[in-house]
Amino acid sequence: MTGQFIAFFVLSLLAIGGAVFMISFTRVVHMVVALAFTFLSIAGLYVLLEAEFVGMTQILVYSGAISILMLFGIMLTRHDASETKERKGPFKYIVFAAIAVFFALVFFGIQSVQWPEEAADYSKQNNVKEIGIQMFTNYVIPFELVSVLLLVALVGAIILAKKEADDQ
């Protein structure tokens, strides 16, 4: 048992737990916090894989995305004091059984993969430089279109929230 294995185990449990909590919570703020735990633990997994640039980009991009998501969620949902009722009956057990079967399939699928004996050596490549070259030569137009799309969505959410406030 190495420290890297323990860190991987803890980060993977945080990622899976954050995703499960995000799905199961009913309040928007709780969902966003669970999603933040998932994103931060995935960034930690990237750092463990020696992809520090991707890990730091994950933190920078998704911390901004989480704040925007929280803004959208609060502006576009109604905040009633009533809580939703849980479903009764066999639904909960069927979902649990389906998740257990999926987990077993993924686990045995991963265990049956033949992994290469020696790891690839990426220490001679400059990943940040290669990402920059690809981003600003081949993918500059999609990159800018996504930023414009996010800006339009933010302005639209503000307009919708303002109309709802004026109607009341």
Side-chain angles (χ1 to χ4, degrees):
M1 274 246 195
T2 63
Q4 188 174 11
F5 178 74
I6 293 170
F8 173 77
F9 188 72
V10 168
L11 288 171
S12 61
L13 281 178
L14 281 173
I16 293 169
V20 168
F21 284 138
M22 201 292 263
I23 292 170
S24 62
F25 285 152
T26 56
R27 296 184 185 257
V28 177
V29 176
H30 296 161
M31 289 177 180
V32 171
V33 171
L35 194 62
F37 274 108
T38 302
F39 287 150
L40 290 173
S41 57
I42 289 173
L45 289 172
Y46 284 138
V47 171
L48 280 178
L49 291 171
E50 297 179 5
E52 293 86 6
F53 177 75
V54 179
M56 291 303 119
T57 305
Q58 171 92 5
I59 291 171
L60 291 173
V61 168
Y62 285 117
S63 64
I66 287 171
S67 63
I68 296 296
L69 178 69
M70 186 184 239
L71 184 68
F72 283 165
I74 290 170
M75 279 201 254
L76 296 176
T77 57
R78 294 184 182 235
H79 302 287
D80 296 332
S82 63
E83 292 287 328
T84 59
K85 294 182 180 178
E86 278 191 40
R87 294 185 182 184
K88 305 259 184 204
F91 178 75
K92 191 185 293 186
Y93 300 113
I94 292 171
V95 169
F96 180 74
I99 290 171
V101 167
F102 177 73
F103 178 77
L105 287 173
V106 170
F107 179 77
F108 290 119
I110 290 173
Q111 294 297 324
S112 66
V113 172
Q114 298 295 323
W115 301 103
E117 291 295 322
E118 58 186 64
D121 183 26
Y122 294 113
S123 62
K124 297 175 185 167
Q125 293 179 345
N126 190 352
N127 291 334
V128 178
K129 181 179 176 183
E130 292 298 320
I131 290 171
I133 289 171
Q134 290 295 319
M135 177 82 69
F136 293 115
T137 56
N138 297 333
Y139 300 107
V140 71
I141 293 176
F143 180 74
E144 292 300 325
L145 286 175
V146 167
S147 66
V148 169
L149 178 69
L150 288 173
L151 180 65
V152 168
L154 177 64
V155 170
I158 292 170
I159 290 171
L160 285 174
K162 186 166 175 33
K163 279 185 183 178
E164 186 176 297
D166 291 341
D167 291 339
Q168 292 177 356

